[in-house]
């Protein structure tokens, strides 16, 4: 797979604040790439640079083989962005919002009507086209936000906190649509999120802290490097759990035992078969990875 985004030694400062510091990473075509960090880590700055909305101090940015300093207009046509906050006009109908956006990409007439019909069916808002945007629910607005970003069939879809505050049903609809587009059109998805279960499905993850990369790899690699496994043991006495010699915690009707890795879990099970009559093993979660890497929890707030 070719690299569709290449960032090399990127730097950007706002006065004395170094928002991005010597940042380098690659995004492969067609993959789901998760870009994680607390608010203020430099994620939005990086995204604005990738979109051609912000000039950088030094380094290089290539999008689909094009140098952003030389071909910014062409690059903008390859990217669709769903921002944290909607950029749609509350006073206009859904249809009019999409029509004004389509005009910016030269999508008019029958071509526009066909594309809107296609997206409305895909994202389940066919009955909302004549509704004023300001009267829609948060989940309905989000579907239209994504349709707006997909109008011109971008090669790269940037999702900046796309599901924050959404109900589970709407989140599921959006992720089903995005998953299908990746399969059918080989679309690349560049994701920032506070929902670590979404990051756990990524092909590759970069964790950024204070403008520079703190860790990167596949979710499995990061879990293996930064967290252990956990064994949840049911129907056991605490005195038996203590025999294992590992850290543990009481949870509801069970004990959660920390182990270094799956190999160590297997050794314990073979050594104490009478204790492990009813149990399950799970790997650490991406939340554990993030906390281990940064020492921080993901939280809301303004990001520079």
């Amino acid at each position: 797979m070719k690299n569709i985004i290449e960032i090399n030694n990127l730097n950007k400062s706002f006065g004395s604040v170094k928002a991005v510091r010597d940042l380098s990473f690659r995004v492969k075509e067609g993959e789901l790439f998760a870009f994680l960090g607390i608010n203020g880590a430099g994620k939005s700055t990086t995204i604005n640079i990738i979109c051609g909305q912000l000039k950088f101090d030094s380094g290089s940015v290539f999008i689909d083989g094009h140098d952003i300093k030389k071909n910014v207009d062409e690059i903008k046509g390859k990217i669709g962005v769903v921002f944290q906050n909607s950029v749609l006009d509350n006073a206009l109908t859904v249809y009019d919002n999409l029509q004004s956006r389509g005009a910016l990409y030269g999508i008019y007439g029958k071509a526009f009507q066909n594309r809107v019909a296609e997206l409305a069916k895909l994202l389940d808002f066919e009955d909302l086209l004549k509704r004023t945007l300001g009267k829609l629910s948060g989940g309905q607005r989000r579907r239209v936000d994504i349709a707006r970003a997909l109008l011109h069939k971008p090669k790269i879809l940037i999702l900046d906190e796309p599901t924050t505050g959404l109900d589970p049903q709407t989140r599921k609809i959006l992720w089903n649509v995005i998953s299908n587009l990746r399969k059918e059109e080989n679309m690349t998805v560049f994701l920032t999120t506070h929902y670590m279960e979404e990051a756990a499905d990524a092909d590759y993850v970069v964790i950024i802290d204070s403008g520079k990369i703190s860790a990167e790899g596949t979710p499995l690699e990061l879990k293996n490097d930064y967290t252990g496994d956990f064994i949840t043991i049911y129907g056991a006495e605490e005195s038996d759990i203590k025999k294992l010699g590992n850290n543990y915690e009481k949870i509801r009707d069970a004990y959660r035992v920390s182990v270094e890795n799956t190999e160590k879990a297997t050794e314990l099970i073979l050594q104490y078969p009478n204790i492990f009559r009813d149990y399950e093993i799970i790997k650490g979660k991406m939340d554990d990875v993030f906390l281990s890497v940064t020492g921080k929890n993901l939280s809301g707030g303004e990001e520079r």
Side-chain angles (χ1 to χ4, degrees):
M1 288 189 294
K2 74 171 187 178
N3 294 325
I4 196 163
I5 299 175
E6 295 186 22
I7 308 290
N8 302 299
N9 308 112
L10 189 67
N11 289 280
K12 175 64 182 177
S13 295
F14 298 96
S16 61
V17 178
K18 293 183 178 180
V20 176
R21 297 191 283 176
D22 199 31
L23 190 65
S24 298
F25 62 83
R26 307 283 184 269
V27 180
K28 295 188 181 300
E29 186 174 31
E31 77 177 356
L32 172 57
F33 179 94
F35 194 53
L36 308 180
I38 64 165
N39 292 329
K43 302 192 306 297
S44 290
T45 298
T46 304
I47 287 173
N48 286 333
I49 289 171
I50 291 172
C51 294
Q53 296 181 327
L54 185 64
K55 292 183 178 180
F56 48 95
D57 301 331
S58 62
S60 64
V61 176
F62 289 86
I63 308 295
D64 199 23
H66 298 280
D67 187 337
I68 201 165
K69 285 188 174 181
K70 299 175 182 177
N71 304 95
V72 66
D73 290 334
E74 183 173 349
I75 285 170
K76 285 180 179 180
K78 296 177 181 289
I79 297 174
V81 189
V82 179
F83 295 101
Q84 290 183 39
N85 300 311
S86 178
V87 294
L88 298 168
D89 191 328
N90 283 335
L92 297 179
T93 65
V94 170
Y95 186 90
D96 289 344
N97 262 291
L98 295 176
Q99 189 174 44
S100 63
R101 181 66 181 177
L104 295 176
Y105 289 102
I107 307 172
Y108 302 100
K110 195 67 176 175
F112 170 74
Q113 292 171 12
N114 290 341
R115 183 60 173 159
V116 167
E118 182 183 4
L119 291 169
K121 183 176 182 179
L122 193 67
L123 288 155
D124 193 23
F125 63 87
E126 291 169 292
D127 57 339
L128 303 177
L129 288 169
K130 295 181 180 179
R131 293 268 298 275
T132 303
L133 195 86
K135 295 180 179 178
L136 302 186
S137 70
Q140 291 169 334
R141 289 170 63 100
R142 210 45 162 169
R143 295 180 208 178
V144 181
D145 277 323
I146 290 180
R148 168 195 165 278
L150 293 172
L151 265 176
H152 58 299
K153 296 188 176 181
K155 296 188 72 171
I156 302 167
L157 180 65
I158 295 178
L159 301 174
D160 195 8
E161 307 288 352
T163 58
T164 299
L166 296 186
D167 60 276
Q169 182 182 3
T170 303
R171 286 174 66 191
K172 186 176 181 180
I173 289 172
L174 297 187
W175 277 112
N176 283 342
V177 169
I178 291 163
S179 178
N180 287 336
L181 287 171
R182 288 183 59 218
K183 290 175 185 174
E184 294 167 9
E185 300 181 12
N186 199 33
M187 187 176 69
T188 305
V189 177
F190 186 104
L191 170 73
T192 78
T193 182
H194 282 166
Y195 294 107
M196 289 294 96
E197 67 268 28
E198 293 178 347
D201 291 331
D203 296 300
Y204 200 79
V205 178
V206 163
I207 298 175
I208 184 175
D209 192 23
S210 300
K212 56 186 179 181
I213 292 175
S214 295
E216 62 180 305
T218 67
L220 179 59
E221 287 169 348
L222 291 172
K223 288 176 184 179
N224 285 339
D225 288 344
Y226 293 99
T227 71
D229 289 359
F230 298 95
I231 314 172
T232 303
I233 304 175
Y234 302 94
E237 299 294 330
E238 187 168 8
S239 57
D240 289 331
I241 300 299
K242 287 181 178 179
K243 292 177 184 176
L244 302 177
N246 291 53
N247 292 329
Y248 68 90
E249 61 177 325
K250 179 85 170 72
I251 52 170
R252 300 183 304 278
D253 54 349
Y255 291 93
R256 190 170 185 249
V257 180
S258 300
V259 289
E260 187 178 339
N261 50 44
T262 307
E263 183 181 356
K264 296 296 183 184
T266 303
E267 289 176 5
L268 284 177
I269 293 166
L270 293 174
Q271 187 176 355
Y272 300 97
N274 292 335
I275 296 176
F276 291 91
R277 291 186 295 270
D278 187 6
Y279 66 92
E280 56 186 344
I281 303 175
I282 61 169
K283 286 200 169 291
K285 299 181 183 297
M286 287 301 296
D287 294 278
D288 301 316
V289 171
F290 191 88
L291 184 60
S292 176
V293 169
T294 67
K296 304 163 189 172
N297 285 308
L298 283 171
S299 60
E302 287 299 313
E303 180 177 0
R304 63 174 177 265

